[in-house]
Amino acid sequence: MKVTALVPCYNEESSLLTILEKLETLDHIHEVIFVDDCSTDKSHEIASNFRSEKLKVFKQTHNQGKSAAINRAMKEASGDVFIIQDADLEYDPEEIIDVIGPILDGKADVVYGSRFMVKKAARVLYYYHFLANKFLTFLSNVLTNLNMTDIETCYKAFKSDLVKDFEITSSGFGMEVELTAYFSKMPLRIYEVPISYYGRTYEKRKKIGMKDG
């Protein structure tokens, strides 16, 4: 199965080259769709100058948020399996194989990489952030009747034919909940696998507030 990494990006010049280099070395990644959400730094330049037969670079006409960038990436991608990879270094591309593994093995249709199934490394950061994630996951579970541990995770892998007619309608970071709700409406085999999480401090990370929640 051909695997496509969907890489939304906004102002990640400090980590982007490392992410692209890691994805380039992975034999199980056949295509990388990079969508720049009108970055004001050198992110688009870095991606455009990166030499790779896997990489396809696109730029939004104006800043629209992560959901719109993923929408664009899914339309431009050609793989049988999609996995979302943020352009920061909070998630290690080396662990992509763990996330897509159940799909490639024919056991799953959708796989989420969970930061809270504690079997790998996770940086200790903010308890309130943990509570917010837990609350959103709890609320999603109540409404979808799924027993998920981490719906806000970046690492979501799914068969591409599941989203060929799907349009994300939410804005900002709303796609995390919307995709989960969408998958819950179908008779799919949904799995979670433990992943590492190298979170950034509030000073370094994107500012996600109550409105996003």
Side-chain angles (χ1 to χ4, degrees):
M1 301 177 78
K2 182 179 177 181
V3 180
T4 297
L6 312 177
V7 184
C9 178
Y10 180 69
N11 289 353
E12 296 290 358
E13 64 178 8
S14 63
S15 58
L16 179 57
L17 183 59
T18 301
I19 289 292
L20 294 178
E21 288 174 343
K22 283 178 173 284
L23 291 172
E24 179 68 18
T25 64
L26 301 179
D27 292 337
H28 46 274
I29 296 296
H30 304 92
E31 180 181 57
V32 177
I33 302 296
F34 173 87
V35 178
D36 177 51
D37 194 27
C38 278
S39 296
T40 57
D41 64 2
K42 296 181 179 179
S43 294
H44 186 262
E45 180 182 341
I46 292 171
S48 297
N49 291 334
F50 188 79
R51 295 190 175 185
S52 169
E53 294 183 358
K54 297 181 181 181
L55 180 64
K56 298 178 182 177
V57 178
F58 301 92
K59 186 173 183 176
Q60 299 285 69
T61 56
H62 59 282
N63 182 265
Q64 301 173 63
K66 182 177 179 178
S67 295
I70 291 297
N71 248 343
R72 174 75 181 277
M74 290 194 301
K75 288 181 172 60
E76 303 290 353
S78 62
D80 305 300
V81 178
F82 294 164
I83 182 164
I84 300 171
Q85 169 70 62
D86 285 349
D88 54 41
L89 289 173
E90 293 190 327
Y91 299 81
D92 185 358
E94 294 289 341
E95 296 186 13
I96 286 178
I97 189 61
D98 298 329
V99 184
I100 63 176
I103 299 178
L104 300 183
D105 292 340
K107 298 177 181 178
D109 305 300
V110 176
V111 181
Y112 281 30
S114 173
R115 297 165 290 178
F116 303 127
M117 297 173 70
V118 184
K119 293 183 180 179
K120 294 202 173 186
R123 182 177 179 182
V124 176
L125 283 173
Y126 308 106
Y127 185 61
Y128 291 155
H129 184 230
F130 167 82
L131 286 181
N133 274 321
K134 283 295 185 182
F135 174 74
L136 290 173
T137 297
F138 166 77
L139 186 59
S140 172
N141 286 344
V142 168
L143 297 175
T144 62
N145 197 31
L146 295 176
N147 185 27
M148 308 290 290
T149 65
D150 187 11
I151 67 163
E152 292 291 321
T153 179
C154 156
Y155 274 162
K156 295 176 173 66
F158 42 91
K159 293 179 178 179
S160 60
D161 59 358
L162 298 177
V163 294
K164 64 180 179 181
D165 299 318
F166 177 64
E167 180 87 15
I168 299 173
T169 60
S170 55
S171 59
F173 292 84
M175 54 153 288
E176 317 290 6
V177 176
E178 187 175 356
L179 270 176
T180 305
Y182 173 72
F183 292 142
S184 75
K185 294 179 180 295
M186 295 181 282
L188 302 177
R189 299 166 299 171
I190 302 176
Y191 276 56
E192 284 187 304
V193 298
I195 58 169
S196 304
Y197 178 60
Y198 306 97
R200 297 184 289 185
T201 62
Y202 280 139
E203 290 74 23
K204 294 181 179 180
R205 68 183 301 153
K206 297 289 194 303
K207 298 298 186 288
I208 302 175
M210 291 295 292
K211 182 179 179 181
D212 296 294

